[in-house]
Amino acid sequence: MERILLGHGAGGKLMHNLIKEMFVKAFGNPALNRLDDGAVIRMSSGERIACSTDSYVVDPVFFRGGDIGRLSVCGTVNDLSMCGARPLFITLALIIEEGFPVSDLERISLSAAKTAAEAGVKVVTGDLKVVPKGKVDKIFTNTSGIGTVKKGVDVSGSNAGPGDSVILSGFMGDHEIAVLSGRAGFDLSVKIKSDCQPLNKIVQKILCLPEAVRCLRDPTRGGLATTLNEICVSSNAGMEIDEALVPVRSAVRSACGMLGFDPFYLANEGKFAAIVKEKYAGRILRIIRAEKEGRDAAVIGRVVNTHRGEVILRTRSGGRRILGMLAGEQLPRIC
Amino acid sequence: MERILLGHGAGGKLMHNLIKEMFVKAFGNPALNRLDDGAVIRMSSGERIACSTDSYVVDPVFFRGGDIGRLSVCGTVNDLSMCGARPLFITLALIIEEGFPVSDLERISLSAAKTAAEAGVKVVTGDLKVVPKGKVDKIFTNTSGIGTVKKGVDVSGSNAGPGDSVILSGFMGDHEIAVLSGRAGFDLSVKIKSDCQPLNKIVQKILCLPEAVRCLRDPTRGGLATTLNEICVSSNAGMEIDEALVPVRSAVRSACGMLGFDPFYLANEGKFAAIVKEKYAGRILRIIRAEKEGRDAAVIGRVVNTHRGEVILRTRSGGRRILGMLAGEQLPRIC
């Protein structure tokens, strides 16, 4: 492979291989090597803090249910939450194309501020770059974040164990379909809103039972299929998912039908998968469903000790198939 | 103003106004409002940590004395250092153009790893996005970082007081001239190397005298003139700088002559200005000059209580002039 392909950024196999072969090799250290959504590090005071980073390149910048400002805050708030952390502070860096409308920048900035207030995090520092026309597509952002991890919390993609229950916090694919339907050339005639929302409050609630929660992951790029596969690989475990239990809106299902997409590979920005100990599954599910961000949550499957590293889908028609990691890219790219 | 201009990202007045009118308004909080190179925040353990973020859009990606990988690590290590922090952890986010050579990516990644090792910081998490050809100029990066601030250290752009000495740690402008001379169309026939280097070790040494150090700032975008003006505004103080004492290489001076640039507005990536109490100036200068990163350091002026918010330059020819903040953009943009 001599050139970087779009697929290297799609969140699937190509990306995982590149990260392992190039970045883990160059930078390897215990925090990085876990390849979770962020890193948990212990400070000299003994306090554990989590940090994460994410760039946002969404097109269009404004879409039904959100915009790049809201997305940038939610993305990092959620990555920190998936480390079991309470997000506190975030940074915001903008790379803007010369000629970008000031009014759009203001709209994005106010939307980010509103989302930060909603999530209860502070934007404490930032950076602003402007590049000549044609050197960047309108505006790209980066947010990084810092949170604290409470004593007793140990959440990682490598913690899943046989018998654990797999909970999904709501409908799959809303974000990707909302973004695509806002893009020129896609007349989907569906009115799906992005699910883009901060998940920190709901996650803090389930972490009141720290012994119950093994792993949290938000299925963004690469979709739920890729997320579950990552967990299976990191934990050296298998997984069985029951397709009939996985919440998908009928409008998303029909958009997928038209476009030839599989909802399991669609990006989400306000959903999470939780791997929890079986005996706590009912309690955790009730906690999640009590919040508006999680009212459509469901137990969708379980962790098993067979076919390690693989996710098996029990299909609606009663069959069984391997639900693989996203192999190349799901076109068109949205993040 | 209806459109974002290149000047909004040049580090000067336009940028400062935009940041104040848009971002401080939207996100305002005590840590952000100081507008230092990063934010210092107190954790619940009582520990103070600093965090910072910076995106890198340098063109060309490889230049004499460095590359975007080394730059990305130095930039954030130095921003944290300028907060008086000891940098510990950094994050690395890449936005790559489809078709970018894998070998170049590897070279950048190894260079960043080598620089991180040199600075003694760990890259603990990252992000990778690939966008279609034409949507970004080759590769843009972002690093964010976390460091700890020792008890007794209080370093901020707002701390300068009358009588303080202004120290510059070495030659001005090497980075900008090195980058420009690597760009197609600029045949400068000078062999200047970028000064791109981590400053954390030298800063830790001078912070062994925490009571002496009022303010640290690295003159990157907008150059030394803009940095000193920022300090004067934040501290509501004046400054007198003696042009004859400011170290500039003759090759940089002659490149500036050819291009019509003023070295005071050139970007640096391995230099810092320190505002220190006068009675410690000699000791601090000796500490800085004892390190290879600071062997050309000099006291270049002092803080005064007249003409507040302004920097006065005593010129080589014996005159006096106001050294203003970069007003629009210094063309061509390099960062």
Side-chain angles (χ1 to χ4, degrees), chain A residues 157-239:
Chain A
S158 52
N159 286 352
D164 290 349
S165 300
V166 181
I167 296 175
L168 180 64
S169 70
F171 290 106
M172 272 198 312
D174 297 4
H175 176 70
E176 182 141 2
I177 297 298
V179 170
L180 282 181
S181 66
R183 197 175 286 180
F186 283 87
D187 185 10
L188 288 179
S189 73
V190 289
K191 297 269 179 280
I192 296 291
K193 274 172 70 174
S194 165
D195 58 357
C196 184
Q197 61 183 347
L199 295 168
N200 52 326
K201 288 180 185 166
I202 198 167
V203 166
Q204 285 308 301
K205 289 212 165 125
I206 65 173
L207 287 175
C208 291
L209 290 172
E211 67 281 19
V213 185
R214 306 265 216 174
C215 166
L216 298 168
R217 196 62 73 96
D218 58 337
T220 53
R221 269 187 297 178
L224 183 65
T226 300
T227 291
L228 298 180
N229 271 279
E230 284 170 2
I231 295 170
C232 285
V233 170
S234 292
S235 297
N236 190 29
M239 221 177 258

Side-chain angles (χ1 to χ4, degrees), chain A residues 12 32 36 42 63 84 144 162 196 203 222 247 268 274 284 303 333 335:
Chain A
L32 179 70
D36 282 329
R42 193 176 289 276
F63 46 85
S144 299
C196 184
V203 166
N268 310 276
I284 297 281
V303 180
R333 175 196 68 87
C335 51

Side-chain angles (χ1 to χ4, degrees), chain A residues 4 45 47 99-100 128 221, chain B residues 4 45 47 99-100 128 221:
Chain A
I4 293 294
S45 61
E47 188 171 14
F100 190 75
L128 174 68
R221 269 187 297 178
Chain B
I4 293 294
S45 61
E47 188 170 14
F100 191 74
L128 174 68
R221 268 188 296 178

Side-chain angles (χ1 to χ4, degrees), chain A residues 8-9 15 18-19 23 221, chain B residues 93-94 96 105 126-130:
Chain A
H8 281 116
M15 187 169 101
L18 182 68
I19 287 174
F23 299 106
R221 269 187 297 178
Chain B
L94 306 173
I96 308 173
L105 183 60
D127 179 51
L128 174 68
K129 294 285 187 303
V130 181

Side-chain angles (χ1 to χ4, degrees), chain A residues 41-43 51, chain B residues 80 87-91 121-122 124 144-147:
Chain A
I41 47 204
R42 193 176 289 276
M43 303 301 283
C51 66
Chain B
L80 291 170
L88 296 173
F89 305 108
I90 66 174
T91 65
V121 297
K122 288 201 173 82
V124 289
S144 299
I146 297 175

